[in-house]
Amino acid sequence: SEDDKLEKLKKDEDKFWQEEEKKTAKKQRKREWYEKFHWFISSEEFLCIGGKDATSNEIVVKKHTDKEDIVFHTDMAGSPFFVIKNGQEATEKTLNETAQAVGVYSRAWKLGHASADVFYVKPEQVTKEAQSGEHLSKGSFMVYGKTNYLHPKLEYAIGLLDEDILGGPVDAIKKKTKNYVIVISGREKKSSLAKKIKSKLKGGDLDDIIKFIPAGGAEIKKR
């Protein structure tokens, strides 16, 4: 009858709007404060954040580093400072993962190196106090005392968990999802690479994928 048809249409319409709302709600999910930076959650569940440029390096070290954290950097100019929150409780696993993130976002990646020399120190070894008369530019800090070096392999993982794109060190992403690809330094542009990654993952938002691709060209590692 006409009434049944109308009733069905109303149901369909309700369902349609629910689906649409779900879609926009997904898009609008609350961004965490640390998503402004380079970030990942380590396989041991430590939050690791890093600067994207001089300004955010400055913010990461000055505003988001506490005495129980660990600070990572490289000797190369134009590299991020990364911080493991509560990192002094972390094991080698998280230290190695963070070293990989620092190396990937450093100039070593842009230069096509296969690995990088990354060091870590305690927060109290990092300061704006330069040698007398020296001026430190924004995003630069002096590091004093003993530094511990790691030599991570320069590769990065981008994965899909439910609807969300995750990017980070390979072991950290492996721990969260089986659906991931590994990228290495290469010649492909971010936009075309992101499309390939999206089709391999069978989902994910292109802009989110692009966010996790390191600057300076990349390609998918053949497995």
Side-chain angles (χ1 to χ4, degrees):
S1 74
E2 285 301 309
D3 280 354
D4 289 343
K5 273 186 193 154
L6 208 62
E7 187 57 38
K8 186 177 177 331
L9 184 65
K10 192 175 175 325
K11 273 198 182 123
D12 287 348
E13 191 183 14
D14 285 347
K15 197 173 163 209
F16 170 77
W17 285 117
Q18 273 169 358
E19 287 302 315
E20 285 303 305
E21 259 168 28
K22 248 193 229 152
K23 274 184 210 160
T24 50
K26 276 260 157 47
K27 286 230 168 5
Q28 297 305 319
R29 77 173 179 80
K30 191 179 156 300
R31 297 278 171 192
E32 300 290 348
W33 65 270
Y34 51 77
E35 293 185 53
K36 297 193 289 283
F37 305 106
H38 288 312
W39 68 278
F40 67 93
I41 309 292
S42 82
S43 59
E44 302 177 309
E45 297 297 322
F46 287 90
L47 170 64
C48 308
I49 58 170
K52 288 186 161 176
D53 54 22
T55 302
S56 51
N57 263 348
E58 192 89 7
I59 295 168
V60 163
V61 175
K62 280 187 166 168
K63 276 186 67 181
H64 296 297
T65 304
D66 301 299
K67 61 178 190 301
E68 49 285 332
D69 300 344
I70 289 186
V71 181
F72 281 71
H73 193 46
T74 82
D75 294 324
M76 279 185 155
S79 299
F81 276 89
F82 253 81
V83 172
I84 307 175
K85 299 305 295 168
N86 292 317
Q88 291 178 37
E89 293 171 18
T91 77
E92 240 146 71
K93 255 186 136 90
T94 294
L95 298 178
N96 286 323
E97 288 165 17
T98 308
Q100 185 168 68
V102 177
V104 160
Y105 289 120
S106 78
R107 263 201 24 240
W109 177 280
K110 297 186 187 83
L111 296 171
H113 295 180
S115 86
D117 303 325
V118 176
F119 66 80
Y120 63 91
V121 292
K122 291 190 167 162
E124 60 266 27
Q125 292 174 251
V126 182
T127 172
K128 267 295 189 195
E129 304 294 315
Q131 308 290 344
S132 59
E134 268 188 86
H135 172 70
L136 288 178
S137 57
K138 186 201 273 176
S140 312
F141 294 85
M142 289 296 295
V143 175
Y144 292 103
K146 183 182 180 309
T147 48
N148 306 276
Y149 275 86
L150 294 168
H151 310 281
K153 201 158 137 191
L154 295 193
E155 50 180 40
Y156 224 48
I158 296 171
L160 185 66
L161 179 62
D162 305 324
E163 304 274 312
D164 288 331
I165 289 291
L166 300 173
V170 178
D171 288 345
I173 299 306
K174 253 186 206 171
K175 179 93 193 285
K176 308 266 185 304
T177 175
K178 298 259 182 294
N179 185 12
Y180 65 91
V181 299
I182 295 176
V183 294
I184 53 175
S185 176
R187 290 272 159 268
E188 202 160 343
K189 279 212 176 71
K190 280 188 177 192
S191 49
S192 62
L193 183 62
K195 287 186 186 117
K196 278 187 191 166
I197 292 172
K198 181 176 170 137
S199 81
K200 276 194 183 293
L201 298 175
K202 298 185 171 43
D205 183 77
L206 272 178
D207 289 336
D208 288 345
I209 294 171
I210 286 170
K211 258 196 238 126
F212 284 112
I213 299 174
E219 59 188 52
I220 293 173
K221 181 183 178 179
K222 305 279 179 279
R223 286 209 255 169

